[in-house]
Amino acid sequence: MKGIIVRTVLIIVVILVAAFLLKGAIYRMAVKYEDGGGRKSYELKDDKLAAHINQSLPNDESLDTNIDIEAIIDFSLNITADALDFSTEYTDNEPLKAFENGGANCVGYAAFTAATGSYLIKRFGLDKEWEAKPKKGKLYLFGNNMHKNVKDGWFKDHDFVVFRNKSTKEEIYVDPTAFDYFGVKRVDKRQK
C-alpha cells in the first residue's frame, strides 16, 4: 500500500513538473491569435519612463552590438510584467499613465509592451527593419472563437503585440498578459 502511494505521488509530481516545463507549448497548442485590427501606437516621450526602461536593461557593454529582436521582445515583456499589474479595473491605456498607476488591462499591457518594444527597437538601431504594434485580437481555443457572441468583458477582445519585420514580413506574436500570468513568451497566429 505504501509503495502505491509513493508511486502515485511521484507520478503526480512528474506530471506537474512536465506541465510546468511545457506550459508554453501547451498554451500555443491550445490558443491561437487572430489580428482583429490595429490599436493606437504610442511613442515614449517621457524621460521618467525611458529611464525606467534603460535601468531595466542588463548592465552589459556588448548589448549594443549583440542585441537582436528576440532579446528586445524578451526585454519588453519583462519590463511590462515588472512595471504593471493586470486588472480589468484599470482603464488607462496610455503607457505613461499605466506606468504611473502601476497597472493596466490587456489593452494597456499591449500598448505598454509595444511602446517599450518600439523604444528599444529605435534605441538599438533596428527601426529600419522592425516595428512593434499593439493589436486588437481574437482568441481561438482549440479552434473555437472565444469572442463569438460576447458583448463585453475580457473576451470581447484581447489585445496582443505583433513585432513585424518590415522587409521580410516575418511576424512574431506576443501576449504580455499571457506572459505575466503563465510565462508564455510567444504565441501563435491562427492559420485559416
Side-chain angles (χ1 to χ4, degrees):
M1 181 70 170
K2 188 177 180 181
I4 293 172
I5 293 172
V6 170
R7 258 193 313 239
T8 303
V9 168
L10 187 58
I11 289 170
I12 291 171
V13 168
V14 168
I15 290 171
L16 291 174
V17 168
F20 177 77
L21 294 174
L22 299 172
K23 66 186 172 203
I26 293 167
Y27 185 88
R28 283 187 298 279
M29 180 188 70
V31 181
K32 305 295 183 202
Y33 289 68
E34 184 175 271
D35 183 345
R39 291 279 194 194
K40 180 178 181 182
S41 292
Y42 295 91
E43 185 178 335
L44 296 185
K45 297 178 182 177
D46 181 72
D47 291 338
K48 184 170 86 171
L49 185 49
H52 174 76
I53 292 168
N54 289 325
Q55 290 168 356
S56 298
L57 296 173
N59 190 10
D60 183 356
E61 291 178 15
S62 68
L63 195 59
D64 286 330
T65 54
N66 295 328
I67 193 116
D68 64 5
I69 194 62
E70 295 291 335
I72 287 173
I73 293 169
D74 290 344
F75 289 144
S76 300
L77 289 169
N78 284 313
I79 291 167
T80 302
D82 290 342
L84 303 178
D85 289 321
F86 179 82
S87 173
T88 56
E89 302 299 315
Y90 290 107
T91 58
D92 286 321
N93 299 327
E94 196 275 319
L96 179 60
K97 288 181 182 174
F99 178 68
E100 289 171 344
N101 293 337
N105 58 27
C106 67
V107 178
Y109 257 58
F112 190 94
T113 301
T116 301
S118 293
Y119 173 82
L120 292 173
I121 287 168
K122 188 172 184 179
R123 181 188 185 278
F124 289 108
L126 298 176
D127 52 321
K128 290 195 181 2
E129 260 183 279
W130 289 94
E131 63 184 1
K133 298 287 183 189
K135 297 290 186 172
K136 178 171 41 172
K138 294 187 185 320
L139 296 180
Y140 288 80
L141 182 63
F142 296 109
N144 297 310
N145 184 345
M146 299 305 295
H147 304 275
K148 192 176 180 181
N149 303 321
V150 175
K151 302 290 185 237
D152 61 4
W154 193 78
F155 273 115
K156 182 175 180 243
D157 42 54
H158 180 74
D159 286 29
F160 64 99
V161 180
V162 174
F163 287 82
R164 184 175 166 272
N165 186 300
K166 296 175 185 178
S167 57
T168 67
K169 309 299 185 224
E170 174 190 1
E171 293 180 327
I172 302 169
Y173 279 39
V174 299
D175 181 345
T177 307
F179 174 75
D180 199 11
Y181 273 92
F182 309 117
V184 177
K185 289 185 175 186
R186 307 292 183 271
V187 295
D188 285 346
K189 180 178 183 176
R190 178 177 178 252
Q191 302 299 324
K192 297 179 183 180

Coordinates of all heavy atoms in Angstrom, one line a residue, residues 41-107:
S41 N -0.8 53.3 -31.5 CA 0.5 53.1 -31.0 C 1.0 54.3 -30.3 O 0.6 55.5 -30.7 CB 1.4 52.8 -32.2 OG 1.1 51.6 -32.8
Y42 N 1.8 54.2 -29.3 CA 2.3 55.3 -28.5 C 3.8 55.4 -28.6 O 4.5 54.3 -28.6 CB 1.9 55.1 -27.0 CG 0.5 55.1 -26.8 CD1 -0.3 54.0 -26.8 CD2 -0.2 56.4 -26.5 CE1 -1.7 54.0 -26.5 CE2 -1.6 56.4 -26.2 CZ -2.3 55.2 -26.2 OH -3.6 55.3 -26.0
E43 N 4.3 56.6 -28.8 CA 5.7 56.8 -28.8 C 6.1 57.3 -27.4 O 5.4 58.2 -26.8 CB 6.1 57.8 -29.8 CG 7.6 58.0 -30.0 CD 8.0 59.0 -31.1 OE1 7.1 59.2 -32.0 OE2 9.0 59.6 -31.0
L44 N 7.1 56.7 -26.8 CA 7.5 57.1 -25.5 C 8.3 58.5 -25.5 O 9.3 58.6 -26.2 CB 8.5 56.1 -24.8 CG 7.8 54.7 -24.6 CD1 8.8 53.8 -23.8 CD2 6.6 54.9 -23.8
K45 N 7.7 59.5 -24.9 CA 8.3 60.8 -24.9 C 8.6 61.2 -23.5 O 9.2 62.3 -23.3 CB 7.3 61.8 -25.5 CG 7.0 61.5 -26.9 CD 6.0 62.5 -27.5 CE 5.7 62.1 -28.9 NZ 4.6 63.0 -29.5
D46 N 8.3 60.4 -22.5 CA 8.6 60.8 -21.1 C 9.9 60.3 -20.7 O 10.2 59.1 -20.8 CB 7.5 60.2 -20.2 CG 7.7 60.5 -18.8 OD1 7.4 61.7 -18.4 OD2 8.1 59.6 -18.0
D47 N 10.7 61.2 -20.1 CA 12.1 60.8 -19.7 C 12.1 59.8 -18.5 O 12.9 58.9 -18.4 CB 12.9 62.0 -19.3 CG 13.2 62.9 -20.5 OD1 13.2 62.4 -21.6 OD2 13.5 64.1 -20.3
K48 N 11.1 59.9 -17.6 CA 11.0 59.0 -16.5 C 10.7 57.6 -16.9 O 11.4 56.7 -16.4 CB 9.9 59.5 -15.5 CG 9.8 58.7 -14.2 CD 8.8 59.4 -13.3 CE 7.4 58.9 -13.5 NZ 6.4 59.3 -12.5
L49 N 9.9 57.4 -17.9 CA 9.6 56.1 -18.4 C 10.8 55.5 -19.2 O 11.1 54.4 -19.0 CB 8.3 56.0 -19.2 CG 7.8 54.7 -19.7 CD1 7.8 53.6 -18.6 CD2 6.4 54.8 -20.3
A50 N 11.4 56.4 -20.0 CA 12.5 55.9 -20.8 C 13.7 55.5 -19.8 O 14.4 54.5 -20.0 CB 13.0 57.0 -21.7
A51 N 13.9 56.3 -18.7 CA 14.9 56.0 -17.8 C 14.6 54.7 -17.1 O 15.5 53.8 -16.9 CB 15.0 57.1 -16.7
H52 N 13.3 54.4 -16.8 CA 13.0 53.1 -16.2 C 13.3 52.0 -17.1 O 13.8 50.9 -16.7 CB 11.5 53.1 -15.8 CG 11.0 51.8 -15.3 ND1 11.3 51.3 -14.1 CD2 10.3 50.8 -16.0 CE1 10.8 50.1 -13.9 NE2 10.2 49.8 -15.1
I53 N 13.0 52.1 -18.4 CA 13.3 51.1 -19.4 C 14.8 50.8 -19.4 O 15.3 49.7 -19.4 CB 12.7 51.4 -20.7 CG1 11.2 51.4 -20.7 CG2 13.2 50.5 -21.8 CD1 10.5 52.0 -21.9
N54 N 15.5 51.9 -19.6 CA 17.0 51.8 -19.7 C 17.6 51.2 -18.4 O 18.5 50.4 -18.5 CB 17.6 53.2 -20.0 CG 17.3 53.6 -21.4 OD1 17.3 52.8 -22.3 ND2 17.2 54.9 -21.5
Q55 N 17.1 51.5 -17.2 CA 17.6 50.9 -16.0 C 17.2 49.5 -15.9 O 17.9 48.7 -15.1 CB 17.1 51.7 -14.8 CG 17.7 53.1 -14.7 CD 17.0 54.0 -13.7 OE1 16.0 53.6 -13.1 NE2 17.5 55.2 -13.5
S56 N 16.2 49.0 -16.6 CA 15.8 47.7 -16.5 C 16.6 46.7 -17.4 O 16.5 45.5 -17.3 CB 14.3 47.5 -16.9 OG 13.5 48.3 -16.1
L57 N 17.4 47.3 -18.3 CA 18.3 46.5 -19.2 C 19.5 46.0 -18.4 O 19.9 46.7 -17.5 CB 18.7 47.4 -20.4 CG 17.6 47.8 -21.3 CD1 18.2 48.8 -22.3 CD2 16.9 46.7 -22.0
P58 N 20.0 44.9 -18.8 CA 21.2 44.4 -18.1 C 22.4 45.4 -18.4 O 22.5 46.0 -19.4 CB 21.5 43.0 -18.8 CG 20.6 43.0 -20.0 CD 19.6 44.0 -19.8
N59 N 23.3 45.4 -17.4 CA 24.5 46.3 -17.5 C 25.5 45.5 -18.2 O 26.4 44.9 -17.6 CB 24.9 46.7 -16.1 CG 26.0 47.8 -16.1 OD1 26.3 48.3 -17.2 ND2 26.6 48.0 -15.0
D60 N 25.4 45.5 -19.6 CA 26.3 44.7 -20.4 C 26.7 45.6 -21.6 O 25.9 46.0 -22.4 CB 25.6 43.5 -20.9 CG 26.4 42.6 -21.7 OD1 27.6 42.9 -22.0 OD2 25.9 41.5 -22.1
E61 N 28.0 45.9 -21.7 CA 28.5 46.7 -22.7 C 28.4 46.1 -24.1 O 28.2 46.8 -25.1 CB 30.0 47.1 -22.5 CG 30.2 48.0 -21.3 CD 31.7 48.3 -21.0 OE1 32.5 48.0 -21.9 OE2 32.0 48.7 -19.9
S62 N 28.3 44.8 -24.2 CA 28.2 44.2 -25.5 C 26.8 44.2 -26.0 O 26.5 43.8 -27.1 CB 28.7 42.7 -25.5 OG 27.9 41.9 -24.7
L63 N 25.8 44.6 -25.2 CA 24.4 44.6 -25.6 C 24.2 45.4 -26.9 O 23.4 45.0 -27.7 CB 23.6 45.2 -24.4 CG 22.1 45.0 -24.5 CD1 21.8 43.5 -24.5 CD2 21.4 45.6 -23.3
D64 N 24.8 46.6 -27.0 CA 24.6 47.4 -28.2 C 25.0 46.7 -29.5 O 24.4 46.9 -30.5 CB 25.4 48.7 -28.1 CG 24.8 49.7 -27.1 OD1 23.5 49.6 -26.9 OD2 25.5 50.4 -26.4
T65 N 26.0 45.8 -29.4 CA 26.4 45.2 -30.7 C 25.8 43.8 -30.9 O 25.7 43.3 -32.0 CB 28.0 45.0 -30.7 OG1 28.4 44.4 -29.5 CG2 28.7 46.4 -30.8
N66 N 25.4 43.2 -29.8 CA 24.9 41.8 -29.9 C 23.4 41.7 -29.8 O 22.9 40.6 -29.9 CB 25.5 40.9 -28.8 CG 27.0 40.8 -29.0 OD1 27.5 40.8 -30.1 ND2 27.7 40.7 -27.9
I67 N 22.7 42.8 -29.7 CA 21.2 42.7 -29.5 C 20.5 42.2 -30.8 O 20.9 42.5 -31.9 CB 20.6 44.0 -29.0 CG1 19.2 43.8 -28.5 CG2 20.6 45.1 -30.1 CD1 19.0 44.1 -27.0
D68 N 19.4 41.5 -30.6 CA 18.6 41.1 -31.7 C 17.1 41.3 -31.3 O 16.8 41.6 -30.2 CB 18.9 39.6 -32.2 CG 18.6 38.6 -31.1 OD1 18.0 38.9 -30.0 OD2 18.9 37.4 -31.3
I69 N 16.2 41.0 -32.2 CA 14.8 41.3 -32.0 C 14.3 40.4 -30.9 O 13.4 40.8 -30.1 CB 14.0 41.2 -33.3 CG1 12.6 41.8 -33.1 CG2 13.9 39.8 -33.8 CD1 12.6 43.3 -32.7
E70 N 14.8 39.1 -30.8 CA 14.3 38.2 -29.8 C 14.6 38.8 -28.4 O 13.8 38.7 -27.5 CB 14.9 36.8 -30.0 CG 14.5 36.1 -31.2 CD 13.0 35.7 -31.2 OE1 12.5 35.5 -30.1 OE2 12.5 35.5 -32.3
A71 N 15.8 39.3 -28.2 CA 16.2 39.9 -26.9 C 15.3 41.1 -26.6 O 14.9 41.3 -25.5 CB 17.7 40.3 -26.9
I72 N 15.1 42.0 -27.6 CA 14.2 43.2 -27.5 C 12.8 42.8 -27.0 O 12.2 43.4 -26.1 CB 14.2 44.0 -28.7 CG1 15.6 44.7 -28.9 CG2 13.1 45.0 -28.7 CD1 15.8 45.5 -30.2
I73 N 12.3 41.7 -27.7 CA 10.9 41.2 -27.3 C 10.9 40.8 -25.8 O 10.1 41.1 -25.1 CB 10.5 40.1 -28.3 CG1 10.3 40.7 -29.7 CG2 9.2 39.5 -27.8 CD1 10.1 39.7 -30.8
D74 N 11.9 40.0 -25.5 CA 12.0 39.5 -24.1 C 12.2 40.6 -23.1 O 11.5 40.6 -22.1 CB 13.2 38.5 -24.0 CG 12.9 37.2 -24.7 OD1 11.8 36.9 -25.1 OD2 13.9 36.4 -24.9
F75 N 13.0 41.6 -23.4 CA 13.1 42.7 -22.5 C 11.8 43.5 -22.4 O 11.4 43.9 -21.3 CB 14.2 43.7 -23.0 CG 15.6 43.2 -22.9 CD1 16.5 43.5 -23.9 CD2 16.0 42.5 -21.8 CE1 17.9 43.1 -23.8 CE2 17.3 42.0 -21.7 CZ 18.3 42.3 -22.7
S76 N 11.1 43.7 -23.5 CA 9.8 44.4 -23.5 C 8.8 43.7 -22.6 O 8.1 44.3 -21.8 CB 9.3 44.5 -24.9 OG 10.2 45.2 -25.7
L77 N 8.7 42.3 -22.7 CA 7.8 41.6 -21.9 C 8.1 41.6 -20.4 O 7.3 41.8 -19.6 CB 7.8 40.1 -22.4 CG 7.1 39.8 -23.7 CD1 7.4 38.4 -24.2 CD2 5.6 40.1 -23.7
N78 N 9.4 41.5 -20.1 CA 9.9 41.5 -18.7 C 9.7 42.9 -18.1 O 9.2 43.0 -17.0 CB 11.3 41.1 -18.6 CG 11.5 39.6 -18.8 OD1 10.8 38.8 -18.2 ND2 12.5 39.2 -19.6
I79 N 10.0 43.9 -18.8 CA 9.8 45.3 -18.3 C 8.3 45.5 -18.1 O 7.9 46.1 -17.0 CB 10.4 46.3 -19.3 CG1 11.9 46.2 -19.3 CG2 9.9 47.7 -18.9 CD1 12.6 47.0 -20.4
T80 N 7.4 45.1 -19.0 CA 6.0 45.3 -18.8 C 5.5 44.5 -17.5 O 4.8 45.1 -16.7 CB 5.2 44.8 -20.0 OG1 5.6 45.5 -21.2 CG2 3.7 44.9 -19.8
A81 N 5.9 43.2 -17.4 CA 5.5 42.4 -16.3 C 6.0 43.0 -14.9 O 5.3 42.9 -13.9 CB 6.0 41.0 -16.4
D82 N 7.2 43.6 -14.9 CA 7.7 44.2 -13.7 C 7.1 45.5 -13.4 O 6.9 45.8 -12.2 CB 9.2 44.4 -13.8 CG 10.0 43.1 -13.8 OD1 9.5 42.0 -13.4 OD2 11.2 43.1 -14.3
A83 N 6.7 46.3 -14.4 CA 6.1 47.6 -14.2 C 4.7 47.7 -13.9 O 4.2 48.6 -13.2 CB 6.5 48.5 -15.4
L84 N 3.9 46.7 -14.4 CA 2.5 46.7 -14.3 C 1.9 45.5 -13.6 O 2.4 44.4 -13.7 CB 1.9 46.8 -15.7 CG 2.3 48.0 -16.6 CD1 1.6 47.8 -18.0 CD2 2.0 49.3 -16.0
D85 N 0.7 45.7 -13.0 CA -0.1 44.7 -12.5 C -1.4 44.6 -13.4 O -1.9 45.7 -13.7 CB -0.6 44.9 -11.1 CG 0.6 44.8 -10.1 OD1 1.4 43.9 -10.3 OD2 0.7 45.6 -9.1
F86 N -1.8 43.4 -13.7 CA -3.0 43.3 -14.6 C -4.3 43.4 -13.7 O -4.4 42.8 -12.7 CB -3.0 41.9 -15.3 CG -4.2 41.8 -16.2 CD1 -4.3 42.3 -17.4 CD2 -5.3 41.1 -15.7 CE1 -5.4 42.2 -18.2 CE2 -6.4 40.9 -16.5 CZ -6.5 41.5 -17.8
S87 N -5.2 44.2 -14.3 CA -6.6 44.2 -13.7 C -7.5 44.8 -14.7 O -7.1 45.8 -15.4 CB -6.6 45.0 -12.4 OG -8.0 45.2 -12.0
T88 N -8.7 44.3 -14.8 CA -9.7 44.9 -15.8 C -10.2 46.2 -15.2 O -10.8 46.9 -16.0 CB -10.9 43.9 -16.0 OG1 -11.4 43.6 -14.7 CG2 -10.4 42.6 -16.7
E89 N -9.9 46.5 -14.0 CA -10.3 47.8 -13.4 C -9.6 49.0 -13.9 O -10.1 50.1 -13.9 CB -10.1 47.7 -11.8 CG -10.9 46.6 -11.2 CD -12.4 46.7 -11.4 OE1 -13.0 47.8 -11.2 OE2 -13.0 45.6 -11.7
Y90 N -8.3 48.7 -14.4 CA -7.6 49.8 -15.0 C -8.1 50.2 -16.4 O -8.4 49.3 -17.2 CB -6.1 49.5 -15.1 CG -5.4 49.3 -13.8 CD1 -5.0 48.1 -13.3 CD2 -5.0 50.5 -13.1 CE1 -4.3 48.0 -12.1 CE2 -4.3 50.4 -11.9 CZ -4.0 49.1 -11.4 OH -3.3 49.0 -10.2
T91 N -8.3 51.5 -16.6 CA -8.8 51.9 -17.9 C -7.8 52.7 -18.7 O -8.1 53.0 -19.9 CB -10.1 52.6 -17.8 OG1 -9.9 53.8 -16.9 CG2 -11.2 51.7 -17.1
D92 N -6.7 53.1 -18.1 CA -5.7 54.0 -18.9 C -4.9 53.1 -19.7 O -4.2 52.1 -19.2 CB -4.8 54.7 -17.9 CG -5.5 55.9 -17.2 OD1 -6.3 56.5 -17.9 OD2 -5.3 56.1 -16.0
N93 N -4.9 53.3 -21.0 CA -4.2 52.5 -22.0 C -2.9 53.2 -22.4 O -2.0 52.6 -23.0 CB -5.0 52.2 -23.2 CG -6.2 51.4 -22.8 OD1 -6.2 50.6 -21.9 ND2 -7.3 51.6 -23.5
E94 N -2.8 54.5 -22.1 CA -1.5 55.2 -22.5 C -0.4 54.7 -21.6 O -0.6 54.7 -20.4 CB -1.8 56.7 -22.3 CG -0.8 57.6 -23.0 CD 0.4 57.9 -22.1 OE1 0.2 58.1 -20.9 OE2 1.5 57.8 -22.7
P95 N 0.7 54.3 -22.2 CA 1.8 53.7 -21.4 C 2.3 54.5 -20.2 O 2.5 53.9 -19.1 CB 2.9 53.6 -22.4 CG 2.2 53.4 -23.7 CD 1.0 54.3 -23.6
L96 N 2.4 55.8 -20.3 CA 2.9 56.6 -19.1 C 1.9 56.6 -18.0 O 2.2 56.4 -16.8 CB 3.2 58.1 -19.5 CG 3.6 59.0 -18.4 CD1 4.9 58.4 -17.7 CD2 3.8 60.4 -18.9
K97 N 0.6 56.7 -18.3 CA -0.4 56.7 -17.3 C -0.5 55.3 -16.6 O -0.6 55.1 -15.4 CB -1.8 57.0 -17.9 CG -1.9 58.5 -18.2 CD -3.3 58.8 -18.7 CE -3.3 60.3 -19.1 NZ -4.6 60.7 -19.7
A98 N -0.4 54.2 -17.4 CA -0.3 52.9 -16.9 C 0.9 52.7 -16.0 O 0.7 52.1 -14.9 CB -0.3 51.8 -18.0
F99 N 2.0 53.2 -16.4 CA 3.2 53.1 -15.6 C 3.0 53.9 -14.2 O 3.4 53.4 -13.2 CB 4.4 53.7 -16.4 CG 5.7 53.7 -15.6 CD1 6.3 52.5 -15.3 CD2 6.3 54.9 -15.2 CE1 7.5 52.5 -14.6 CE2 7.5 54.9 -14.5 CZ 8.1 53.7 -14.2
E100 N 2.5 55.1 -14.3 CA 2.2 55.8 -13.1 C 1.2 55.2 -12.2 O 1.4 55.2 -11.0 CB 1.8 57.3 -13.4 CG 2.9 58.1 -14.1 CD 2.4 59.4 -14.6 OE1 1.2 59.6 -14.8 OE2 3.3 60.3 -14.9
N101 N 0.2 54.6 -12.8 CA -0.8 53.9 -12.0 C -0.3 52.5 -11.5 O -0.9 52.0 -10.5 CB -2.1 53.6 -12.8 CG -2.8 54.9 -13.2 OD1 -2.7 55.9 -12.5 ND2 -3.6 54.9 -14.2
G102 N 0.6 51.9 -12.2 CA 1.2 50.6 -11.8 C 0.4 49.5 -12.3 O 0.6 48.3 -11.9
G103 N -0.6 49.7 -13.2 CA -1.4 48.6 -13.7 C -2.1 49.0 -15.0 O -2.2 50.1 -15.4
A104 N -2.6 47.9 -15.6 CA -3.4 48.1 -16.9 C -4.2 46.9 -17.1 O -4.0 45.8 -16.5 CB -2.4 48.3 -18.0
N105 N -5.2 47.0 -18.1 CA -5.9 45.9 -18.6 C -5.1 45.3 -19.8 O -4.0 45.8 -20.1 CB -7.3 46.3 -18.9 CG -7.4 47.4 -19.9 OD1 -6.5 47.6 -20.7 ND2 -8.5 48.1 -19.9
C106 N -5.7 44.4 -20.5 CA -4.9 43.8 -21.6 C -4.6 44.8 -22.7 O -3.6 44.7 -23.4 CB -5.7 42.6 -22.2 SG -7.2 42.9 -23.0
V107 N -5.5 45.8 -22.9 CA -5.2 46.9 -23.9 C -4.0 47.7 -23.5 O -3.1 48.0 -24.3 CB -6.5 47.8 -24.1 CG1 -6.2 48.9 -25.1 CG2 -7.7 46.9 -24.6

